[in-house]
Amino acid sequence: MAKEKGRKLIAQNKKARHDYLIIDTYECGLVLTGTEVKSLRQGRASLVDGFVQIDGHEAWLHNVHVPEYSQGTWTNHTARRKRKLLMHRMEIDKLESKSQETGHTIVPLALYFKDGRAKIEIALAKGKREYDKRQTLREKQDRRETDRAISAAKRRERA
């Protein structure tokens, strides 16, 4: 059997990018059971309520929903169990010190397979206030409008 190449996205947490200001991102491995991997290969997972907590120099992923594998037997996993993240000790220590600052948290952004291995992208983030969210949406809308105006001008120029 040929080894998988590239990156296959399973789940993405778009709400995290809206609710938090992303400071730094990290790619981590996951410790999974066999039925969890099979369920992820079917493309089923949810990162919406997920967060990362550091306990005793180990990073743990909480509240990520990986549904039970449909053909699984009594060996099936629980859907919302905590999962260990595989990271370097220096990264964990850095995240631990930064996350203890006021308003900082660690959230999952994306879950994917990279060269056949399950990976998760996590981010050190700071919660946005309501006016920050509105400002971000306004900037995004302004960027869209300028891009539309530029492309319309280019179309008129060609014609």
Side-chain angles (χ1 to χ4, degrees), residues 24-148:
D24 203 4
T25 60
Y26 298 90
E27 181 182 68
C28 317
L30 281 162
V31 176
L32 300 171
T33 62
T35 54
E36 284 175 320
V37 175
K38 287 179 180 262
S39 185
L40 288 176
R41 290 217 185 272
Q42 291 177 341
R44 300 167 56 205
S46 173
L47 301 174
V48 175
D49 297 329
F51 64 95
V52 176
Q53 198 169 34
I54 297 175
D55 297 326
H57 300 293
E58 292 182 341
W60 295 90
L61 182 65
H62 294 268
N63 274 0
V64 169
H65 186 263
V66 178
E68 290 187 351
Y69 182 56
S70 55
Q71 279 92 34
T73 58
W74 57 273
T75 59
N76 237 337
H77 63 279
T78 53
R80 287 197 185 268
R81 73 178 187 91
K82 71 178 195 175
R83 295 163 179 90
K84 187 175 179 180
L85 295 179
L86 304 173
M87 299 176 72
H88 291 284
R89 174 60 52 90
M90 285 177 27
E91 290 177 335
I92 293 173
D93 293 342
K94 185 177 174 183
L95 271 176
E96 185 174 24
S97 65
K98 294 275 188 176
S99 67
Q100 289 173 351
E101 293 178 18
T102 309
H104 287 78
T105 187
I106 308 167
V107 293
L109 296 178
L111 182 62
Y112 53 90
F113 282 105
K114 182 177 177 183
D115 296 334
R117 299 186 187 271
K119 302 281 184 180
I120 189 159
E121 183 180 18
I122 62 172
L124 178 67
K126 184 172 182 167
K128 282 186 185 177
R129 302 215 186 271
E130 200 61 38
Y131 59 84
D132 290 334
K133 294 177 189 178
R134 285 193 297 267
Q135 181 66 28
T136 305
L137 286 173
R138 200 172 300 120
E139 289 170 0
K140 189 175 177 182
Q141 190 176 15
D142 291 344
R143 248 185 276 119
R144 256 193 220 137
E145 288 175 6
T146 55
D147 290 344
R148 284 184 188 143

